Amino acid sequence: SSYLKIHHEISEREVFTNFTPPGLLQKKLCGTNYPLSICFIVVNEFCERFSYYGMKALLTLYFVTYLKWDKDLSTAVYHAFSGLCYFTPILGAIIADSWLGKFRTIIYLSIVYVIGHVVKSVGAIPTVGNTDVHIALSMVGLILIAIGTGGIKPCVAAFGGDQFDEEHVSERQKFFSIFYMSINAGSLLSTLITPVLRGDVKCFGGDCYALAFGVPAALMIVALVVFIAGSSLYKRNPPQGNILLQVCKCIGFAIKNRWRNSKHEPKRKHWLDWAEEKYSKRLIQEVKMVLRVLVLYIPLPMFWALFDQQVWVYKPKKTTFSQCVSVHYSRFWCIPVKDHRLKLSSHCPRQTAFTLFSGSKVVCQEKFEDQKAHSLIIYKVDTNLRCLLVSGPQIKSTEPNNSILITHLTSQIVAHRMEDVKANSVHIAWQIPQYVLLTAGEVMFSITGLEFSYSQAPSNMKSVLQAGWLLTVAFGNVIVLIVAEGAGLEQWKEFVLFAGLLLGVCIIFSVMSVFYKYVEPENMDKINLEDTKEEDEGDGKKSSMMLDKTGKSTKL
């Protein structure tokens, strides 16, 4: 009976691991070991990334120019949205591994994703309600998009890895490279196309944000349709219960049991071994595997903190402007004339008047609009001075020009004389080496991280560990915000700070990697089955899961 029990459990696990739709063997791509199903997954990822980055490329501009938010609020909402998109993967991973499975989780959250895009696009139509309605629709849309994109992030990568048999390790590694290429291709095309749709196409009497957001929504619908179209080809591993809750209970019981009995019982090899009285050896070994990887990920957010320095971060100035207008300034140029005085007076909200005197005589009196550039031409007619105010581009003069910047600070009007200095120019080609190195580092780091997170995860926690990898991006963004808002450093000093910190992290990570015990993917299920067999037989032998006793246990 013991043999039949073990045989039944092994057979049941084999069915779970290699579950395919009834009566259908997995089709291969052009006679290779690549499953045909990965084509639908890669195309789905391309369309989804086009949708996400296309919308995100316009987000800050949309806040400032359409919703009329100030830069402080726009920047805060933008970074809050970006952070939420990388914190929600843990939610999608829990749903996928514990409840719905990866396939249904991707479909259901993609529908939420599509609804968010549609709501966001409707909020950009000027004829739909007032500003409050636009803000409400935009925020609801962004929250739904964050839940959708974050929820499917860990599931799609792990679901793609599930399509490969365990013996096709090299093909699966190449798949993650192709998968990441589709991510970058979608983001590149979208950031080029959607700004053109906004600026070059006019609708409702202005920039067409509705169209620029509508196209990413259409691409997300295409992504969902493509993914569903391949449903008959996918290999699907069913969920195996609330595994994350079991993991938390196992860790909690081990800590509690160790605290109570460590003084009275012999010391155990690992602190999680104190959970053996209640939980199976297999679960304990799987928790050890996950925790080893998560500990290895602790220094990695610093990479993303440095990588995100290529993204513009607005730092609000501490000047408080008049409540009359948000940014209240004007600029005009004048040819210098001796013995003249300039008197300024404010006509809130949109105009400032000035009077030019020569001695006690009024030469001219003009009004100019705030937030626009003006040229003040002062000239002589016989012996009398005259002036002419011209809006628009600066009038060129052979004589030296003075620039005066007029600002409204609270209730005061201040004129600042500015010297016109010829701008320095650096050819844009000087940025090519930096971007080549940044891109090379990011590609190697990201692809390796995706594959490593999949290969080192137990079969029932693939999505959870993918979510843990994505959390490094979220915490990297948090580090950037803390340093940018709290340190108050100049931009070049921030670059040097982040580069120095990452150098230190590289050294720390190198030391940590020496002590990491690598698990070969092809041995993962074999080790788990051996542990299950030993546990059921109750022979008391040491578990073969101990990684230092496997033939291929270490890899630097």
Side-chain angles (χ1 to χ4, degrees), residues 479-546:
I479 292 173
V480 171
L481 282 178
I482 292 173
V483 175
E485 298 295 332
L489 300 175
E490 297 180 35
Q491 193 70 66
W492 71 271
K493 292 181 180 179
E494 279 192 15
F495 290 163
V496 173
L497 173 64
F498 281 114
L501 290 175
L502 184 58
L503 181 61
V505 163
C506 287
I507 298 172
I508 295 172
F509 185 76
S510 300
V511 174
M512 294 174 66
S513 66
V514 172
F515 297 97
Y516 181 79
K517 306 296 184 180
Y518 189 85
V519 180
E520 293 289 352
E522 61 268 20
N523 294 334
M524 188 83 67
D525 287 336
K526 183 193 300 183
I527 293 170
N528 285 337
L529 289 175
E530 289 176 359
D531 284 340
T532 303
K533 183 176 179 180
E534 288 184 0
E535 182 182 333
D536 290 331
E537 290 176 346
D539 57 3
K541 295 180 180 179
K542 291 184 178 180
S543 173
S544 61
M545 185 62 184
M546 300 307 295

Side-chain angles (χ1 to χ4, degrees), residues 243-397:
I243 187 64
L244 193 64
L245 180 61
Q246 295 179 38
V247 169
C248 295
K249 287 183 176 180
C250 179
I251 294 173
F253 180 81
I255 295 173
K256 183 172 65 174
N257 195 30
R258 183 186 181 188
W259 177 264
R260 289 178 177 178
N261 302 318
S262 59
K263 296 180 180 179
H264 312 292
E265 296 185 13
K267 186 178 181 181
R268 304 189 184 184
K269 193 167 185 178
H270 192 281
W271 65 270
L272 275 171
D273 292 336
W274 288 95
E276 289 179 350
E277 285 83 350
K278 186 176 181 180
Y279 295 94
S280 66
K281 289 183 179 180
R282 177 180 169 185
L283 177 63
I284 293 172
Q285 297 300 340
E286 288 175 343
V287 174
K288 289 179 183 178
M289 292 166 60
V290 171
L291 290 182
R292 269 194 295 266
V293 176
L294 293 180
V295 169
L296 201 64
Y297 285 172
I298 289 176
L300 300 187
M302 189 52 64
F303 174 88
W304 298 112
L306 178 60
F307 184 78
D308 286 344
Q309 293 306 299
Q310 62 182 309
V311 181
W312 174 73
V313 179
Y314 171 73
K315 295 184 178 180
K317 296 181 179 178
K318 300 190 181 297
T319 304
T320 302
F321 290 98
S322 170
Q323 294 181 354
C324 184
V325 288
S326 58
V327 182
H328 199 55
Y329 69 91
S330 289
R331 185 174 182 176
F332 65 88
W333 293 265
C334 59
I335 301 172
V337 179
K338 294 181 180 180
D339 301 325
H340 69 271
R341 293 180 292 111
L342 188 66
K343 182 181 179 182
L344 301 170
S345 59
S346 174
H347 296 270
C348 189
R350 303 298 300 172
Q351 288 187 334
T352 298
F354 67 85
T355 305
L356 185 64
F357 295 88
S358 180
S360 59
K361 183 180 178 181
V362 175
V363 175
C364 64
Q365 194 169 14
E366 298 282 353
K367 293 181 180 179
F368 59 90
E369 295 184 22
D370 294 325
Q371 296 183 322
K372 287 188 177 181
H374 304 269
S375 293
L376 180 63
I377 305 173
I378 303 174
Y379 57 97
K380 285 186 177 182
V381 177
D382 298 329
T383 58
N384 298 320
L385 288 176
R386 298 286 186 269
C387 68
L388 176 64
L389 186 67
V390 180
S391 299
Q394 179 186 357
I395 304 290
K396 299 296 180 182
S397 172

